Amino acid sequence: MAEKRDYYEVLGLDRNATTEDIKKAFRNLAFKYHPDRNHEPGAEEQFKEINEAQEVLSDPNKRAAYDRYGHAAGGNGGFTNQGFEGFNMGGLGDIFEAFFGGTTASTRQAPQRGADLLHRIAITLEEAVFGVEKEFTINRTEHCSVCQGLGSKPGTQPQRCPECNGTGQVRRVHQSMFGRFANVTPCTRCRGEGKIITEPCPQCRGTGRERHQRNLSVKIPGGVDDGSRIRLSGEGESGLRGGSNGDVYIDVAVSEHKFFFREEDNLLYELPVNLVQASLGSELEVPTIDGTAKLKIPSGSQNGAVFRLKGKGVTHLRSGGRGDQLVHLKVVVPKSLNKRQRELLEELGRTMEPESGKK
């Protein structure tokens, strides 16, 4: 097997060549050695070599590997091309298109999937915790209810297009300096459909489609978070030429709660207490997403202490069960005192050892 030439040498470039330099060199050489234009012995092999070089050097990752390891970067066989039959037209395809217009590939109309639709639903934190079923309304394009999407008046059938003989495409052959090229384009008379509607449906005027407002419902599972997305398969717009329907995507927006803040599957709650409750301890009722629950505050509790109410948080979306509610203690220092309160605190202060300046 002949030793592979350096890719930069193949394209006539140095190793500092820019992407634009590589693209330009490839185009020039591809013109020169294209098998349809150059019939000299070895032209096709040279063309494959040029193609292989540009495929590696035009890809930043492949080029970096090649610059470091040479042909060994591609494995035991090095970087390999796909042969002329598998050649990706890449930079050359747009040259052909600029010369001849249209496209060099088949453009037969295939089934087309319907468009997806997006809808936003706002829910409360309670609904996010426990789950909820919501109804909503969308406007979507569907097959015509009269002609069932055919576009023709009931009792009539579309006729085969005489321009393309029902193929939906027109083939034209061009002679150029590269040789003969077949240029296949959608038929302009039938717009690529291969058929012509002679008697349009009065309901959809021959389009085969009409707009409808539909009421749908979605089950939102417990545990969803703000920004979650739910898919309703097949509820989007109808497809074309037998294509499947699109989907409806539901974006869930969870509104803020006046008491609770969510942190993953836990709910956070700030409980204000006064100095006496924190110092002597107390049993208090605190709000939860389920109602109220009793919480025992031990004596000597400090500001910022956290207490856990097991199973009072958000439903686990995939594993079942629930998170917890975390109660953060906030000791509230009074901003103003009446005379009696001040006397009592001063008396208490004289009986207590000062904490500040303590050695």
Side-chain angles (χ1 to χ4, degrees), residues 119-158:
H119 188 80
R120 185 175 183 271
I121 289 182
I123 62 174
T124 65
L125 180 61
E126 287 84 356
E127 291 171 333
V129 170
F130 300 111
V132 67
E133 184 168 355
K134 288 283 188 177
E135 292 187 351
F136 63 98
T137 302
I138 62 168
N139 291 301
R140 68 186 181 192
T141 301
E142 301 177 358
H143 292 308
C144 174
S145 57
V146 174
C147 68
Q148 307 304 315
L150 295 177
S152 292
K153 180 180 177 181
T156 67
Q157 290 292 328

Side-chain angles (χ1 to χ4, degrees), residues 269-285:
Y269 174 71
E270 188 177 76
L271 176 65
V273 295
N274 60 38
L275 290 171
V276 176
Q277 291 171 319
S279 300
L280 302 181
S282 179
E283 187 173 74
L284 302 174
E285 282 195 345

